[in-house]
Amino acid sequence: MSEQDVNGDATPASATIYEVAKRAGVGIATVSRALRGNGSVRPATRVRILEAARELNFVPSRLGVSLAEGRHAANGIVFPSLTGPYFGEVLLGYEEAAAELKRSVIVVAADGLDSAQDHIRDLAGRVDGIVIYGSTAESDVVAELVAERKPTVLLSPRVPVDGPDVITAENIPSARELTEHLLTHGHRTFAFLGGPTGGRDIDERWTGLVGTLAAAGAAAPRPVPLSGYSRAEVYAAAHAVLTQDPPDVLVCSHDEVALAALRVARELGLRVPDDVAVTGWDDVMAAEHSWPPLTTVRQPMRRMGETAARALNELITGTRTRPVRQVLPTEVIIRESCGHHP
């Protein structure tokens, strides 16, 4: 008949880490270090611990090791929201990697929370490390986490931040490549729906667009900022730009904005790409299946989540102590919404 140890793991006649520590006359943290073979444990003490573990038929559990080391065996990840396919893909990549690393995941969506910053602080106290997307956490909260030496990874922060790991995707080279392709179709008037915003990602896309048009001697693009990303706000902005002197091409900050623009164009009787070309950014699943299929820039969404999970694990386990910045490549995906192709 099997027993259940203090950590909830059922093992045949297995003792707990507390019983091993008691028999060896040491603390549970010392038992953990001795069994894992790391940390400073005197040779005689290590022998005594190993003998106690063998005599008691002790099988260490992952949760027990975490408890002994003062760890939670859980990571936290904070998103502004979980609506839309983009965040779902990032989260999927994160959870897959975390499961491989035998880490539990606690997910928080900050939108709609009262005192979201307090929720983030509370989460940080209940996990071994935390990943924060964008500007979900205010700069002073991030500074607190860094000061407390909490392993922290920022995904696509809106502004540069020193201290934690930072993972972003490149924007300017792909924006240049996309703009150069649009110019080959003969497009000369451009509007950018969704920015600039003051955030790094979208503003870099805007920078790449502006610089490439200037180098080609084309007119500067028209910025069309969004007051928000609700369906109503995106729809209203797309409707306004396509009814008031529509451009040759509408470059959109995200695929979801571009998909809304395709719908508005259909409702207004505009043909895409003959009357107006439309492009997006992200390459969510719906982009390939829209009509016409959407020209866009593919973001490594799932890889971003995976990379964040692995980077955080390195910080938690002490494999690496210094923060690093990783920039993941993106890829221009040409489809029919930008123009006709031979």
Side-chain angles (χ1 to χ4, degrees):
M1 183 173 181
S2 66
E3 297 177 4
Q4 186 139 13
D5 72 12
V6 71
N7 306 303
D9 293 343
T11 55
S14 177
T16 70
I17 194 171
Y18 295 102
E19 291 173 304
V20 175
K22 182 177 180 180
R23 175 168 292 199
V26 296
I28 59 173
T30 305
V31 173
S32 176
R33 290 197 301 272
L35 295 178
R36 290 171 64 90
N38 57 14
S40 56
V41 179
R42 292 180 179 179
T45 303
R46 189 186 304 276
V47 169
R48 193 164 70 249
I49 291 170
L50 293 177
E51 288 180 351
R54 178 176 51 78
E55 292 168 0
L56 293 171
N57 192 31
F58 174 67
V59 179
S61 70
R62 175 172 59 88
L63 195 57
V65 170
S66 298
L67 177 64
E69 296 177 346
R71 288 163 47 188
H72 304 277
N75 299 346
I77 185 165
V78 182
F79 289 102
S81 79
L82 291 175
T83 59
Y86 178 90
F87 293 127
E89 283 292 305
V90 175
L91 179 58
L92 183 58
Y94 183 83
E95 289 189 319
E96 286 177 344
E100 180 184 328
L101 295 165
K102 303 187 185 306
R103 306 289 302 176
S104 300
V105 178
I106 301 176
V107 184
V108 169
D111 281 2
L113 289 178
D114 293 331
S115 303
Q117 303 309 303
D118 289 338
H119 280 276
I120 294 172
R121 290 186 178 96
D122 176 68
L123 174 65
R126 296 187 287 119
V127 295
D128 297 322
I130 189 168
V131 174
I132 301 171
Y133 188 93
S135 58
T136 315
E138 295 175 356
S139 57
D140 60 334
V141 175
V142 175
E144 289 175 20
L145 298 177
V146 172
E148 294 168 1
R149 300 185 181 276
K150 174 65 66 174
T152 303
V153 175
L154 301 185
L155 266 176
S156 296
R158 287 174 61 90
V159 296
V161 179
D162 293 326
D165 269 32
V166 174
I167 299 170
T168 62
E170 64 90 0
N171 293 288
I172 294 179
S174 288
R176 288 173 178 157
E177 182 183 344
L178 174 64
T179 307
E180 289 168 354
H181 177 81
L182 294 171
L183 289 169
T184 66
H185 285 290
H187 302 310
R188 288 298 178 267
T189 59
F190 289 69
F192 186 81
L193 179 56
T197 63
R200 186 195 60 83
D201 277 332
I202 296 176
D203 287 359
E204 286 185 354
R205 296 165 198 172
W206 166 258
T207 298
L209 172 65
V210 170
T212 307
L213 292 177
R222 180 181 2 151
V224 186
L226 289 169
S227 57
Y229 283 90
S230 71
R231 292 182 181 181
E233 289 164 319
V234 172
Y235 183 90
H239 191 276
V241 73
L242 291 178
T243 54
Q244 301 167 11
D245 189 22
D248 292 343
V249 56
L250 188 59
V251 178
C252 299
S253 60
H254 301 93
D255 281 353
E256 291 178 79
V257 175
L259 293 170
L262 289 177
R263 174 187 169 188
V264 172
R266 285 195 301 270
E267 293 176 355
L268 294 174
L270 296 173
R271 297 169 301 162
V272 178
D274 299 285
D275 298 322
V276 60
V278 177
T279 70
W281 198 289
D282 287 336
D283 196 28
V284 300
M285 184 179 296
E288 183 178 2
H289 302 290
S290 64
W291 188 254
L294 184 65
T295 291
T296 186
V297 175
R298 179 173 294 158
Q299 288 248 64
M301 296 174 284
R302 196 172 296 192
R303 185 180 166 196
M304 288 180 73
E306 175 192 353
T307 303
R310 297 191 186 284
L312 188 62
N313 192 65
E314 290 175 359
L315 296 174
I316 290 171
T317 59
T319 304
R320 173 171 54 81
T321 57
R322 293 186 177 183
V324 298
R325 177 186 177 89
Q326 301 184 63
V327 181
L328 305 183
T330 57
E331 178 187 4
V332 176
I333 304 296
I334 303 300
R335 299 191 180 106
E336 289 89 328
S337 71
C338 65
H340 298 288
H341 303 88

